């Protein structure tokens, strides 16, 4: 892997990134060490299950159902990390009249080395799917997912990164058709560094996209999200809601852009990027960007960075709640803002539990 | 005309070449030879009778500049600039004389009238023959005005000089502060400026002095043509205050294509500097031909405790504006403010904003940016708010609003927020909108023409910024917004 060419942070998109650990991880051999427990979700409507260990499907622990495995029909990404994924991966293609699939669950385990995997999701007219991806282990997990949603299709994609150490890089290229809806919620609640690269094109009239999540970092962890939602047609709606929490010497960075192409009138784009610093040595970076070429649009963004509201802490203290608990409560509610958009209750609850577990793990002690 | 100038310049260059140091100060020619080389730098420095250290500084900058590349990160399309196809030093140009105001481009004349500039002053601005006399009178007037001002300023201990004079008269002060806020190698254009700056302004306000008047280049005699590479340095000593006005609201058909100015402000303990700019250089025609490229580096160092710098700008001119007046808030409790209206029409491009670098405890900053895009223009707000790890209790509030007039223009917001201290409280808000039909309908139902209605609404949109301007600027700036929008509606 000496051929690994990584971008430097002189490049604007990689301004706040630190990829320096990747060559070392890429040179390692996988340990094969599996986690004690695989956190499959028990849910009302179970669907296909896929388990990938070091980028390879574990057939006897998987029930692929409608998900096809093998060569993924999609050109390789041009971006620095996405182009590493190769061609063997998984594909979910749902036709227009397809019956509800149940919750698709994918677990990715990395056992210490680097693995790369492409995926393709294509939902035909009015098809619907809900997918949960969970990331575990301690290597470098690199994914590129291409998503196409045709007219009226709906995809809810939820991801939780619980990888203990190492690196997780996820690139997404999404095309949202007329009246289609795409909701991507990401929880970075492990110990690994992360990089999320998303490009969502609202390519049809009145498309809807919501991309957001919670980035929780401690130690020397770095989370780095770089997202673009591009409105190409009129009447589109988009939301980006990100909540970052940084403790110790950690850094959370979110660069989120809304682009409105010429003629994409009546666009409604909204961004809310908030950062919470829990320690004196942590860093929060935010870049809420708007690029607008149409006049009849409503685009707004808000960004705040700070510590927990002292008035709120005082209020809770006055009600007899111990400072640590008060801090935990407020932090949990701050993070919940970004996770509550998940539609299925089972998934939402699981994600909130994961976030709370992270917070309880020393995050809000001091 | 330019051939003659060229020949003159070359002759001069040849003549100069016989001297041991290339160019020396006793040469009488008006122009440096076309193009940029070490000799050009020596020529400018010699022409200005500068001490050796200043020449060395310029040369160092020039050599540095040769190694640098023009920045390309702004959201702009900048045609390639041929740095060899320009003059870097020209004594004040004589304007083309007009027989009467009737010969003046009617478009400019109309603008003068809309701005409410008195006839006599119009003649001066337009360079009407005979009005030269008026102009001389006017200049005499302002000379006397300037002299009385100078007397008064002198009494207060304020130094207000062209930078060339200051280099000669106050070398220690210049050596101490020049390049301190904007280092010589800061960026491509600032480095170029460091090498070839032709003139500019130096202001020093002594300790405890509240400058008795608003300082303006307009009142400075030798400000008639400060040239394309202006250098401004303002130092406000402890507890002092100064308000500085830059620019002119009247449209001057400046032929200089490239402007690369550097402005450095230093505020010591409890000092306050208010810097207001109205920039209305030639924006090019409606097809985007011609116009000024304005690449400006403006930065303030709030070095002292409780020091304050406030930038206010109204940018309506120039084909290209690349400008980020910034504050380095190093002093404890220091305050930085940035109020900006940037209006682009036709094919203008503006990429402007600010940087607030918080290093001192309890430092605060406010950013209010109003971008108005019309025609086929692009208008970008680009800003940075950075809080260093030792800066406790920093507060920042940023508001960037964009108004789009028409569906062929662009409005962009690129804010960077980098916070490394948990006690910081950073808020950023931005909105993008167009003029609502209701507002327009209401204003027109009260008898305003569509153009006036739009101008009124735009002024309302920019009000928060305009009210920061000193009185005399504010009135003209308001009219200017209306004028700059002409032809963009209906």
């Amino acid at each position: 892997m000496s051929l690994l060419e990584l971008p430097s942070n002189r490049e604007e998109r990689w301004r706040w990134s630190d990829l320096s650990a990747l060559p070392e991880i890429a040179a390692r051999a996988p340990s094969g060490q599996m986690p004690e427990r695989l956190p499959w979700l028990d849910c009302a409507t179970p669907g296909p299950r896929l388990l990938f260990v070091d980028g390879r499907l574990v057939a006897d622990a998987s029930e692929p159902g409608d998900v096809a495995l093998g060569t993924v029909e999609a050109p390789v990404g041009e971006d620095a990390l996405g182009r590493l994924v190769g061609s063997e991966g998984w594909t979910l293609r749902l036709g227009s009249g397809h019956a509800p699939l149940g919750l698709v669950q994918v677990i990715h385990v990395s056992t210490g080395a680097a693995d790369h995997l492409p995926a393709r999701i294509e939902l035909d007219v009015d098809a619907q799917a809900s997918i949960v991806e969970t990331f575990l282990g301690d290597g470098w997990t690199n994914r590129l997912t291409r998503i196409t949603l045709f007219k009226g299709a709906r995809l809810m994609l939820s991801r939780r990164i619980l990888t203990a150490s190492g690196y997780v890089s996820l690139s997404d290229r999404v095309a949202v058709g007329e009246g289609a809806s795409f909701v991507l919620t990401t929880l970075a609640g492990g110990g690994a560094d992360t990089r999320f690269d998303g490009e969502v094109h609202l390519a049809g009239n009145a498309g809807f996209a919501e991309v957001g999540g919670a980035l929780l970092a401690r130690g020397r962890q770095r989370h780095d999200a770089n997202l673009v939602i591009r409105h190409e047609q009129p009447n589109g709606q988009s939301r980006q809601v990100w909540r970052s929490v940084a403790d110790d010497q950690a850094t959370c960075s979110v660069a989120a852009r809304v682009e409105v192409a010429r003629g994409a009138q009546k666009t409604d784009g909204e961004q809310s990027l908030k950062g919470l610093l829990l320690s004196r040595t942590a860093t929060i970076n935010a870049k809420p960007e708007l690029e607008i070429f149409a006049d009849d649009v409503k685009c707004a963004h808000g960004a705040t960075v700070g510590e927990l509201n002292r008035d709120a802490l005082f209020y809770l203290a006055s009600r007899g709640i111990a400072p640590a608990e008060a801090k935990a409560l407020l932090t949990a509610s701050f993070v919940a803002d970004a996770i509550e958009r998940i539609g299925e209750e089972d998934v939402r609850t699981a994600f909130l539990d994961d976030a709370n577990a992270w917070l309880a793990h020393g995050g809000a002690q001091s | 005309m330019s051939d003659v100038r060229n020949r003159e310049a070359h002759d001069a260059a040849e003549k100069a070449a016989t001297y041991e140091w290339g160019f020396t100060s006793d040469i009488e020619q008006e122009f440096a030879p076309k193009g940029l080389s070490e000799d050009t730098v020596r020529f400018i420095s010699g022409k200005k009778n500068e001490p050796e250290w200043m020449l060395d500084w310029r040369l160092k900058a020039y050599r540095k500049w040769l190694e640098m590349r023009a920045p390309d990160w702004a959201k702009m399309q900048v045609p390639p600039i041929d740095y060899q196809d320009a003059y870097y030093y020209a004594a004040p140009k004589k304007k083309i004389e007009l027989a009467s105001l009737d010969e003046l481009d009617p478009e400019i004349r109309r603008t003068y009238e809309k701005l409410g500039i008195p006839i006599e002053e119009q003649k001066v601005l337009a360079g009407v023959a005979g009005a030269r006399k008026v102009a001389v009178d006017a200049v005499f007037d302002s000379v006397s005005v300037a002299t009385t001002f100078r007397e008064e300023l002198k009494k207060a201990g304020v130094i207000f000089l062209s930078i060339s004079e200051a280099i000669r008269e106050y070398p220690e002060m210049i050596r101490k502060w020049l390049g301190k806020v904007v280092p010589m190698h800061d960026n491509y254009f600032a480095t170029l400026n460091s090498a070839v700056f032709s003139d500019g302004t130096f202001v020093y306000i002594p300790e405890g002095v509240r400058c008795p008047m608003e300082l303006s280049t307009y009142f400075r005699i030798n400000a008639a043509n400060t040239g394309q590479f202006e250098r401004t340095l303002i130092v406000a000593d402890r507890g002092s205050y100064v308000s500085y006005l830059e620019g002119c609201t009247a449209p001057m058909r400046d032929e200089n294509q490239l402007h690369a100015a550097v402005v450095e402000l230093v505020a010591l303990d409890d000092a306050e500097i208010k810097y207001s700019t109205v920039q209305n250089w030639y924006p090019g025609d409606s097809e985007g031909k011609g116009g000024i490229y304005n690449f400006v580096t403006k930065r303030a160092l709030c070095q002292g405790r409780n020091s304050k710098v406030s930038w206010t700008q109204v940018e309506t001119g120039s084909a290209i504006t690349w400008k980020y007046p910034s504050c380095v808030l190093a002093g404890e409790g220091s305050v930085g403010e940035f109020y900006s209206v940037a209006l682009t029409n036709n094919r203008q491009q503006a990429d402007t904003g600010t940087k607030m670098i918080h290093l001192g405890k309890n430092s605060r900053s406010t950013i209010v940016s109003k971008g108005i895009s019309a025609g086929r223009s692009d208008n970008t707000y680009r800003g940075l708010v950075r809080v260093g790890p030792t800066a406790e209790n920093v507060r920042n509030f940023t508001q960037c609003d964009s108004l789009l007039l028409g569906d062929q223009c662009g409005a962009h917001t690129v804010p960077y927020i980098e916070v490394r201290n948990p006690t910081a409280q950073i808020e950023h808000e931005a909105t993008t909108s167009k003029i609502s039909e209701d507002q327009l309908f209401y204003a027109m139902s009260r008898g305003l023409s569509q153009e006036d209605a739009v101008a009124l609404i735009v002024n309302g949109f920019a009000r928060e910024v305009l009210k920061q301007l000193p009185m005399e600027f504010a009135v003209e700036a308001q009219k200017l917004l209306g004028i700059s929008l002409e032809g963009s509606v209906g």
Side-chain angles (χ1 to χ4, degrees), chain B residues 266-285:
Chain B
V266 181
L268 303 183
D269 288 0
D270 302 303
E272 180 178 347
I273 302 175
K274 187 173 165 63
Y275 195 105
S276 314
T277 308
V278 172
Q279 187 262 108
N280 183 34
W281 279 324
Y282 183 50
D285 66 10

Side-chain angles (χ1 to χ4, degrees), chain A residues 208-232:
Chain A
F208 175 86
E210 180 167 332
V211 178
L215 307 178
L216 315 176
R218 65 165 61 101
R220 297 193 160 273
Q221 239 180 312
R222 296 178 79 102
H223 294 312
D224 180 16
N226 191 298
L227 304 135
V228 181
I229 295 185
R230 182 170 172 78
H231 290 260
E232 285 166 359

